[in-house]
Amino acid sequence: MIRIANIAVALVAALHLYFLVLEMFFWTRPLGLKTFRNSPEKAADSAVLAANQGLYNGFLAAGLIWGLVQTVPAFAFEIKLFFLICVIVAGVYGAATVSRRILLVQAAPAAVALILLLLA
């Protein structure tokens, strides 16, 4: 069961690495404009903020990866637990303040991974 939980955690980490790339490097390009439903003008005005947000997503991914590579099982569990909860909180806040879609894209996968981790 821990392998399944770790796969879910790895998928959440991969999602956040993808968010990092989108927000830091593709925010003003066609992929970023389409993904975030922005106009070129709005994207240009918010590019610095998006890059900052992308960096935070990278930190979430780094924390999850740290939990996956940690060799002490109890500590690995605590790290993954903490960062999954951080992802869920960020997703709920984003859904409440930006777009409900964030709940499905960010918080839901982390919640599934958290449940699997707790069951493992």
Side-chain angles (χ1 to χ4, degrees):
M1 187 68 165
I2 192 65
R3 284 190 176 150
I4 294 170
N6 282 339
I7 289 169
V9 171
L11 289 173
V12 174
L15 271 174
H16 281 76
L17 288 174
Y18 179 66
F19 300 154
L20 174 148
V21 170
L22 277 175
E23 293 166 347
M24 292 188 82
F25 305 110
F26 291 100
W27 186 257
T28 59
R29 297 181 186 231
L31 178 61
L33 295 173
K34 181 180 174 186
T35 300
F36 296 104
R37 301 174 184 162
N38 277 334
S39 67
E41 297 79 18
K42 183 178 175 185
D45 289 343
S46 59
V48 173
L49 294 172
N52 187 287
Q53 184 172 297
L55 186 62
Y56 286 113
N57 278 308
F59 291 140
L60 291 172
L64 292 169
I65 293 166
W66 177 32
L68 290 169
V69 301
Q70 175 55 244
T71 58
V72 179
F75 189 40
F77 173 83
E78 292 172 355
I79 295 167
K80 290 180 277 191
L81 180 71
F82 174 78
F83 280 96
L84 286 171
I85 291 170
C86 287
V87 169
I88 293 167
V89 170
V92 169
Y93 183 79
T97 60
V98 178
S99 168
R100 291 183 192 257
R101 191 172 74 151
I102 295 172
L103 198 61
L104 295 175
V105 175
Q106 183 176 4
V112 169
L114 178 62
I115 291 166
L116 291 171
L117 180 67
L118 293 172
L119 292 174

